[in-house]
Amino acid sequence: IVNRDIVNLTNCESEPIHIPGSIQPHGFLLGIQKGASRIEFCSANCADFIGIGPDKILGKHISDIFPKEEASHFALYASAEAIDSAKPFVFTLNGVSFNTTVHGSGHNVILELEPFPDGTLQLPNLYTQTRNFVSIMEKSSGLLDLCQEIADETRSITGYDRVMIYRFDEQYNGEVIAESRREDLVSFANQKYPHTDIPAQARELYIRNPLRMIADINYTPVPLLTIDDSADKSNQSLDLSLSILRSVSPMHIEYLKNMGVGATLTISLLQNQKLWGLIACHHYAPKILPHYTRLSALLQGHFLTSQIAVREVAEEYNISEEVDKALTEALTLLHETENFMAASHQSPWLLKLANATGAAIYHEGILYTNGLVPSDAALIELFAFLSNAYPNQTFDTDNLADVYPAAKDISKYAAGVIYHSMVSGENDGILWLRQEKIETINWAGNPDKAVLQSEDGVRLSPRKSFELWMEIVKDKSSPWRKSEINAASSFSYALQKHINYRLIRAQEDQN
Ligand code: BLA
C-alpha cells in the first residue's frame, strides 16, 4: 500500500480537484466494486472510527468486516443499478452511529461514513422550515429582499458566523448581494470578488454537486488507499466529484487561511443549468454540520433557486409594461399628428419607451432633440460616425466610448446609445441616449493582483490581501433592456414608414 502525495499544482484551472486522492478527516470512506461487494478503496483513517485498519479492509468483502445486517445493507447499495445519492442511512457499530451517504462513481460505490458531531441523530423540522419559507416568500418584495431573508434563515438553521448570497456576473466575478453575520464581524456586503477566486473546473463541479463543506481548514488530508496501487489503479483514480468528504484544493485552503476563515459550507444556486450564485457560509472556528442540517441548508438553496427566475421575470415584466405603454403613446402621437416630426421629438413618450435620458432625430439636415443631449455639433458628428459605421443598421451599446472615443467628452449625455439609421437624407437616423452612470466597484482586494505570480509567470497562490480596492467605472450607462431595445426598434420602423409615405406623397404631388 503506497500513499501518494497530494496534488502539486502550478495553475488553478488545471488542478484536477475531483480526484484529490484524499479526504477530510471528519469521516471515513469505502469504495466497493459495483456488484461484487469487494472493497477496492478505503481511506487511511478507518481504524480511528471502527478499529479496523486498511490492511484488514482492502480486498475483503464487506461481509467479512461488518455485522450481517449492515453488510447486507451495503451490498444492496453496491448492487443497485441506480444509486440514489440522496438516500443515506444510519449504521451503528460498537455503539457508535454513523451517517452513511452512498453514491456511484465509475465502477465503484462510494460509502462515506460520518459520526454525528453531537453523538445523536437530530432531524430538522422540515415542516417549520417550509412554512417559514412560504411566509418569507409572501412578505419579501423583490429578489434582493428574498436573498436577505434566505441568508438570515440559513444562518439561523446552520449556526455559521456569516452567511452570504453571492451572485455571479457574466464573467463570473461575484458580488455579495445579501449577508447575515455575527454582529461583531465586519460586513462583506456589496463586495466584489474576481472570477479567478473560483476557477472554471470548480464552477463546473459545483453544478454537478450542489453542496460542499470544509469542516476545518487546518485539517490534514487523509490519503485514499487501494488494493493495487498501479498506474491505472491509484488512489487518484477514484472520482470524488459527488463526495461529501472530498479533500479540498490546497490553493483554496490557502485562500481561506488568508481570509481568516476556519470552516465553510457552500451551496450552488443554479439557473438554466448555469451557476447563478452561491450561498457561502463562513465560520471562524472548525465546524462540522451534520448531514440532515446540510440538507436543510440545501433546501434553502432550492427555495431561493425556485424564486430567482420568477422574481427576475416579474421585475422585468413591470418595466416592459411601462415601456409598452410609452411605445403605444408615442406611436399614437406619430399617427395622429400631421407634423409628426415636431410632435414626436418633444414627446415625453419618446424618452420613456426606452427609459432614455435624451433622444435625437436627424432628418434631411435638421436636428430634432428631446431631453438631455450634447451640443448640436457633437450630435451631428455622432450621427455621421454612426451612419458611416452602421449603414442601414441598428446599434446599441452601454459604452459608446468603446467604439467612438470622442464620446468621452459627451458621456454626461451619451454614454449609452440605441441607434437606427433612416434612409431619407445623408446621415439620417434616430438616437436614444443614456447618461453616464458612474459606478464604484468595491473589490475585496485588487482584482489584477488576485493571483500572486512568480517571475516566470507561473501562478503561485491566491492573494493575501482582501483590503477594499475601489474601481471607478466611467463612460458607461446602465445597460439597455431587451424590452427597451425592442420598443426603440418598433418606433424607428414606424417613423421610417411615415417618412417614406410622406416622400411618396410629395412625389405624387409633383407629378
Ligand atoms: C473554490 N473559491 C472556491 C469556493 C469559493 C471560493 C466559495 C468554493 C469552495 C468552498 O466551499 O469554500 C471563493 N469564497 C470565495 C469567495 C468568497 C468566499 C470569492 O467566501 C467571498 C466571500 N482561488 C484563488 C486562486 C486560486 C483559487 C488564485 O483565489 C488558484 C490559484 C482556487 N478556489 C480555488 C480552487 C477551488 C476554489 C481550486 C476549488 C476548491 C475545491 O472544491 O476543491
Side-chain angles (χ1 to χ4, degrees), residues 12 166 193 197-199 206 212 246 249 252 255 264 266 282:
C12 276
Y166 185 82
Y193 296 78
D197 285 12
I198 313 179
Y206 302 162
R212 64 232 128 250
R246 179 175 63 84
S249 159
H252 183 50
Y255 177 92
T264 68
T266 314
H282 287 177

Side-chain angles (χ1 to χ4, degrees), residues 9-13 15-18 20 162 164 166 168 174-176 179 188 191-203 205-206 211-214 217 219 246-256 258-259 261 263-267 278-282 444 449-452 459-463 466:
L9 57 120
T10 49
N11 181 316
C12 276
E13 276 88 14
E15 182 188 357
I17 60 173
H18 62 299
R162 184 196 302 276
M164 295 167 279
Y166 185 82
F168 294 111
E175 187 178 349
V176 177
E179 178 190 50
F188 291 172
Q191 291 201 0
K192 197 141 184 179
Y193 296 78
H195 62 90
T196 41
D197 285 12
I198 313 179
Q201 88 282 26
R203 294 194 306 262
L205 181 57
Y206 302 162
L211 181 142
R212 64 232 128 250
M213 180 172 77
I214 306 171
I217 69 147
Y219 75 97
R246 179 175 63 84
S247 190
V248 177
S249 159
M251 275 294 177
H252 183 50
I253 293 293
E254 185 180 340
Y255 177 92
L256 292 172
N258 292 346
M259 237 187 197
V261 172
T264 68
L265 179 81
T266 314
I267 291 160
L278 301 169
I279 302 181
C281 312
H282 287 177
K449 299 197 175 134
V451 182
L452 299 178
R459 296 174 165 209
L460 287 181
S461 66
R463 66 179 174 282
F466 292 90

